[in-house]
Amino acid sequence: MDYLLVMLATVAVIFGGKAFWDWKKNRTPQLDLEELEEDRAEYLQENFDKAMDDFKYIEEARKNISDREVSTQLAKMQRVAKKLLANLEKNPERIPLAYKFIDYYQDRAVKIVKQYQELEETELSTERVRDLKYKMKTTLAALDGAYADQFEHVLNDQIISADAELKVMQQQLDAEGIKKKTVDVGEVDEYGNVRIDKDLLNQPLGGVEIKNLPVGSVPSVRSPRGRRRSYEIDSMQTFPENERPQIIQRKLIQSALAIFLGSLGAHKFYQGKTLQGVLYLLLFWTTLPTWISFIEGIRYLFMPVEDFYEQYIKDDKNWRR
């Protein structure tokens, strides 16, 4: 009887975990609009719902597109769109600022994706069709910058406020005779870490000149005279598509360790969280770590690869070793 209860509980956790992730993935966020007038609240909710519907359509479509390049490009766009929509959910008053993203860029992206799917279904490979597909790819690639620009536009007030606060703080430091130290950067190593050139630690920011940095390594810097030293940034390369198999492998290993050896803290030791692993080990006799780690293992198993990378791998500089 005990074994039967354990099996039923296990099945319930597995299906419950999958149902939870499906709900989380497909749910429509609800905006906090209680303090706004009815017409205003309805307008904001309508626009946000449209943006979410378009986002979900592209998310579903990219999984069904056989062309790897297009699928990867859409995944890059979706990561920016997801963060932008999350910001709008928390700050619904900013929704009108994203009107170009909602009514033009993402709307056009949906139309291009639909047309691309229709071309794929025909299975035609004529020169004209190939040329049209190529134009669609380049257009989607150009939308990366459009999405990022819209996100920056939405955050404009926040950026201006932070910049003003920093200027006031710097003025206060200058008044008190406190000088800030700046650093220059060197090359980026194989793990994406920027080396610090200690010989240039005391150089003022105005004298810093950054050269030969890989795409996506550092953001642009504004000099004291207001001139922008810009660097091309591929902000969409957050998820390394070429390393997807290794990430999936780690995801499966971490899940298996949590499910089968989680009571001993194996998955925590695997993640490098030694203190948590020891805590699981010490509480092994209570069976509490067993249930917690089992649920964690199911969570790892059904978690999207991109989300797993963001939460457990992105900031781990030693994971490739």
Side-chain angles (χ1 to χ4, degrees):
M1 187 63 181
D2 291 340
Y3 289 109
L4 180 60
L5 290 175
V6 171
M7 290 178 62
L8 290 175
T10 301
V11 172
V13 170
I14 292 175
F15 283 96
K18 186 177 186 305
F20 172 77
W21 282 109
D22 289 341
W23 169 82
K24 183 178 180 181
K25 177 182 176 181
N26 298 318
R27 77 179 184 91
T28 300
Q30 296 298 317
L31 305 178
D32 184 8
L33 305 171
E34 295 180 359
E35 298 182 0
L36 299 178
E37 296 181 359
E38 184 177 352
D39 291 345
R40 178 67 171 174
E42 184 178 349
Y43 167 78
L44 295 177
Q45 187 68 58
E46 181 181 343
N47 279 270
F48 186 77
D49 289 344
K50 179 185 182 305
M52 286 301 304
D53 289 342
D54 288 344
F55 175 85
K56 290 178 180 178
Y57 177 85
I58 295 175
E59 185 67 14
E60 191 63 32
R62 75 178 181 85
K63 298 176 182 178
N64 300 320
I65 291 179
S66 59
D67 190 306
R68 188 67 176 175
E69 291 182 0
V70 176
S71 179
T72 300
Q73 176 59 35
L74 291 177
K76 294 176 182 179
M77 292 165 53
Q78 288 294 88
R79 281 192 286 278
V80 178
K82 182 178 181 180
K83 292 178 181 179
L84 173 54
L85 290 170
N87 187 275
L88 295 179
E89 181 185 359
K90 295 178 181 178
N91 306 277
E93 71 280 359
R94 295 178 179 176
I95 291 176
L97 296 174
Y99 73 94
K100 279 188 178 180
F101 167 77
I102 297 172
D103 294 330
Y104 187 76
Y105 296 129
Q106 192 172 233
D107 186 72
R108 293 300 183 276
V110 168
K111 292 180 179 179
I112 293 174
V113 169
K114 285 182 178 178
Q115 292 169 348
Y116 195 92
Q117 285 182 307
E118 290 174 358
L119 285 177
E120 276 200 331
E121 290 174 0
T122 65
E123 298 184 356
L124 288 175
S125 185
T126 63
E127 182 177 352
R128 187 175 181 182
V129 170
R130 290 196 301 269
D131 182 60
L132 182 57
K133 284 185 175 181
Y134 176 77
K135 290 179 180 179
M136 289 179 176
K137 289 181 183 180
T138 56
T139 302
L140 289 174
L143 286 176
D144 285 357
Y147 276 31
D149 286 344
Q150 275 292 285
F151 201 173
E152 182 177 350
H153 180 66
V154 168
L155 297 176
N156 187 52
D157 290 343
Q158 182 177 340
I159 294 172
I160 292 176
S161 177
D163 188 48
E165 185 175 345
L166 289 173
K167 288 180 180 179
V168 171
M169 182 179 293
Q170 185 57 48
Q171 291 174 358
Q172 181 65 28
L173 292 174
D174 291 341
E176 296 178 4
I178 300 175
K179 295 183 179 179
K180 66 177 181 179
K181 292 183 178 181
T182 59
V183 297
D184 204 344
V185 295
E187 297 179 354
V188 176
D189 63 22
E190 57 182 319
Y191 302 110
N193 302 317
V194 180
R195 299 192 185 96
I196 301 299
D197 187 347
K198 296 182 179 180
D199 295 332
L200 300 175
L201 273 176
N202 296 319
Q203 280 197 10
L205 186 60
V208 174
E209 183 176 0
I210 305 176
K211 295 180 178 180
N212 301 323
L213 291 180
V215 172
S217 57
V218 293
S220 61
V221 177
R222 187 178 294 279
S223 69
R225 296 182 181 179
R227 291 175 298 177
R228 180 177 292 275
R229 295 173 182 154
S230 59
Y231 312 97
E232 183 181 359
I233 300 175
D234 187 357
S235 59
M236 306 303 105
Q237 291 185 357
T238 304
F239 182 83
E241 284 292 338
N242 60 319
E243 295 175 353
R244 180 180 286 269
Q246 294 93 318
I247 297 172
I248 293 176
Q249 181 182 31
R250 173 160 174 169
K251 177 174 175 283
L252 294 175
I253 293 174
Q254 189 167 308
S255 176
L257 289 174
I259 292 173
F260 298 107
L261 296 173
S263 57
L264 302 176
H267 61 303
K268 295 299 181 182
F269 288 116
Y270 181 71
Q271 295 176 52
K273 299 178 180 179
T274 306
L275 183 60
Q276 293 184 26
V278 172
L279 187 61
Y280 273 61
L281 197 58
L282 292 176
L283 296 176
F284 167 74
W285 62 276
T286 66
T287 70
L288 183 61
T290 302
W291 291 106
I292 294 177
S293 59
F294 183 81
I295 295 173
E296 287 179 318
I298 298 301
R299 178 172 173 268
Y300 302 149
L301 187 61
F302 291 105
M303 181 181 292
V305 179
E306 292 82 1
D307 291 347
F308 182 84
Y309 175 80
E310 287 287 332
Q311 293 188 35
Y312 299 104
I313 296 182
K314 183 178 178 181
D315 296 326
D316 184 358
K317 299 177 182 178
N318 300 316
W319 82 274
R320 295 180 179 86
R321 297 178 182 177

